[in-house]
Amino acid sequence: MRIDNSASRTSPESLLDVAALRADTPGAGDVVHFNNAGCGLLAAPVLAAMIDHLRLEASIGGYEASAARAEQVREFYAETAALINCTPENIAFAGSATHAFSTALSAIPFEAGDVILTTRNDFISNQIAFLSLSKRFGVKVVHAPDLPEGGVDVAAMATLMRQHRPRLVAATHIPTNSGLVQPVADIGRLCRELDLLYLVDACQSVGQYPIDVAEIGCDLLTATCRKFLRGPRGSGFLYVSDRVLSAGYEPLFIDMYGARWVEPGRYQPVETAARFEDWEFPYAIVLGCAAAARYARQVGMDAIARRTPALAAGLRDRLAGLPGVRVLDHGRQLGALVTFAIDGWQPEAFKAAMDARRINSALSFRHFAQFDFGDKDVDWCLRLSPHYYNTEQEVDQVVAAVADLSVAGGSRDDR
């Protein structure tokens, strides 16, 4: 999937009514929220969906409320499927993207000597999961090299695919520790040609870019709802392809929701991706996720995909011109995560100084990204991640704050 970050004759802001979107975002007037890669600010319809259901649970009971809202709960699957171009039967709710990812991994019958082929920029929890499989089952983890300009070398990855015939190919679309956008569709075409199982972590790209699982060519895709999709915390989803379902893949610990106990010594998995779900659901959160997916689609993913990276590109360019600031994002394609190091500050003190200015941000550390931060020779960075409801004036405010702090060099009391 190629992301076009080039300039356009049409202003990204002109495609959206930013003032109306901010009016629909309760927190937008309270903080400069540049931590959408952590959690996006909830939109009013998302908040209302959750509160309304909790009130219903309080008034008539939890089981009764879920039964009364069964049709609305089903909309989560329809809305999420429409967001990524699949059918509702391919979607499973999960408590987080990591929950979805580990559940997907548990369905693969790894054996000693199997190979997982991945990148040097996969998310920390994914990398740890691969190492855990290596430790427990003797699986070999192979990392494809990066290009000199950043991002995975797809040609080298193709060679490794043919050399190792991996049991699984995995890639993170947008790593949490940089603005890099990986060419997941190029990897997917290779996987289809070689009939290899392919798992994509789309945690930072769902809600930021249009996602088409058919175009990506993945068998499994995981995401959270709390980031650029602007859904509630404690939620995510797993996409499971028809190919995986028909091949009989199922999670290691399947429960009464995902399977039927058909006789004393046998169970039968359900036919849909529901086999990857558990019986207990946080129904208010599920309804909030449905509202978030619906809201993103109503705003328009194409317009979001133009405005959000454009705000980040402007922020990145201006930060790069500040003394003592080193922008860390490398790659042919860059998204809405902007990372930088700054001289003269300790991480917690610098973030606290930004917090004091009511600018929300996030810290990343070397142990989040051993390969990437090792290559860049940094121990920590600050991550800023604007979204479509942020403004150019907020970009000005953030740049001015970093400029002021870079001159201060940590010498003030707020260090």
Side-chain angles (χ1 to χ4, degrees), residues 136-316:
R136 179 165 296 192
F137 297 115
V139 172
K140 182 179 180 183
V141 183
V142 176
H143 294 89
D146 284 338
L147 295 165
E149 63 269 32
V152 67
D153 185 331
V154 176
M157 203 168 194
T159 299
L160 292 169
M161 287 180 189
R162 295 184 175 93
Q163 177 184 347
H164 293 285
R165 297 297 304 180
R167 186 70 179 83
L168 176 69
V169 177
T172 296
H173 194 183
I174 300 178
T176 189
N177 51 279
S178 79
L180 174 67
V181 180
Q182 295 275 44
V184 290
D186 294 345
I187 298 169
R189 280 189 283 275
L190 292 168
C191 290
R192 289 197 299 271
E193 290 172 9
L194 299 172
D195 194 27
L196 298 174
L197 193 67
Y198 183 30
L199 167 60
V200 171
D201 179 336
C203 206
Q204 296 288 5
S205 54
V206 167
Q208 180 180 170
Y209 290 118
I211 301 297
D212 185 334
V213 291
E215 181 184 352
I216 293 173
C218 54
D219 296 289
L220 300 153
L221 180 140
T222 61
T224 186
C225 298
R226 76 175 193 269
K227 297 179 184 287
F228 289 95
L229 193 56
R230 303 179 63 193
R233 295 197 72 173
S235 63
F237 64 87
L238 169 66
Y239 158 78
V240 187
S241 69
D242 291 337
R243 182 172 91 131
V244 166
L245 291 172
S246 62
Y249 286 86
E250 62 186 61
L252 179 60
F253 296 109
I254 195 168
D255 87 342
M256 59 183 283
Y257 190 83
R260 304 294 175 260
W261 195 15
V262 294
E263 56 187 61
R266 185 171 67 88
Y267 70 88
Q268 180 65 46
V270 299
E271 294 183 355
T272 69
R275 73 179 66 160
F276 289 85
E277 295 179 325
D278 296 328
W279 183 84
E280 177 58 19
F281 277 73
Y283 284 96
I285 286 179
V286 173
L287 291 170
C289 293
R294 185 182 306 113
Y295 192 86
R297 294 179 59 234
Q298 289 171 347
V299 172
M301 284 310 309
D302 288 338
I304 291 171
R306 292 185 63 182
R307 176 164 175 78
T308 299
L311 282 172
L315 173 64
R316 188 180 292 114

